[in-house]
Amino acid sequence: MTVFVALLRAVNVGGPMAELKAICEGLGFSDVKTYIQSGNVLFRSDEAEKTVEERLDEALGKTMGKRPGVMVRSRKELDKLAADAPFPKAKPNFLLVYFLPEKPPGDALEKMVAPDGEEAKLAGREIYVHYPNGSGRSKLKLPALKTGTSRNLNTVRKLAEMAAAMEGKD
């Protein structure tokens, strides 16, 4: 069985992670684990990534009244994102990885407005954004980020570590 990491979009911090776990188990996913209160869930499934993503998003939509948006990645993808992170002088909590449903167009960064010196880099289905002053008060405008969900580099590393530990149980 493949270990998947699902990253939920539009989930309020402090949301019902026990409910998320129950929904995943109800879909037949196994070894379900959640990480912090921001829509991160790991599990095993024999289904294809896109099928897992669609089924989870649909089930969450029924519970929440609206589909939140679910991005599913493998441990290998998370490992690569952590290893290839640009902006080596950035604090890991100031470097966000935006997970997108599909690869953004090559010109996605051309529309970026970065008044606080933010930097961004495309990487497959993700966009890295370095917020030198933190993301909380940033006035960054980058339309390509709207469909995605972000996690800081520390969280990406932890999720990769958790997925590796799950894979090690095989």
Side-chain angles (χ1 to χ4, degrees):
M1 283 189 146
T2 303
V3 173
F4 291 106
V5 178
L7 306 140
L8 281 55
R9 185 177 168 272
V11 172
N12 292 330
V13 174
M17 297 302 277
E19 188 175 358
L20 172 59
K21 183 176 181 181
I23 289 168
C24 289
E25 289 169 342
L27 291 170
F29 304 153
S30 60
D31 293 332
V32 180
K33 295 174 179 34
T34 60
Y35 176 67
I36 62 176
Q37 300 287 318
S38 59
N40 304 300
V41 61
L42 299 91
F43 52 82
R44 294 177 184 273
S45 176
D46 283 328
E47 296 176 306
E49 178 182 295
K50 279 293 175 197
T51 302
V52 166
E53 197 172 77
E54 177 62 26
R55 288 185 64 223
L56 182 54
D57 199 33
E58 181 180 0
L60 289 166
K62 287 178 181 174
T63 301
M64 301 167 72
K66 181 182 177 193
R67 288 180 173 221
V70 175
M71 288 14 110
V72 173
R73 300 296 190 266
S74 69
R75 183 220 17 111
K76 287 181 182 177
E77 288 174 301
L78 294 180
D79 280 344
K80 183 166 175 40
L81 287 165
D84 294 350
F87 318 117
K89 293 183 181 179
K91 295 177 189 172
N93 57 325
F94 283 38
L95 178 54
L96 272 58
V97 179
Y98 283 84
F99 295 87
L100 306 171
E102 57 192 38
K103 184 176 180 174
D107 66 350
L109 301 183
E110 290 177 16
K111 297 174 182 160
M112 183 168 86
V113 177
D116 295 320
E118 298 90 349
E119 304 171 274
K121 182 178 182 211
L122 297 177
R125 294 184 288 170
E126 288 76 31
I127 299 176
Y128 294 96
V129 179
H130 172 224
Y131 293 90
N133 301 319
S135 62
R137 293 190 192 116
S138 173
K139 302 289 186 221
L140 174 74
K141 289 186 176 68
L142 183 52
L145 303 179
K146 286 185 181 179
T147 60
T149 186
S150 67
R151 302 297 184 273
N152 72 41
L153 188 57
N154 288 328
T155 299
V156 172
R157 289 174 176 156
K158 181 62 178 179
L159 291 170
E161 178 186 306
M162 290 174 70
M166 287 175 68
E167 287 177 351
K169 288 182 182 179
D170 291 337

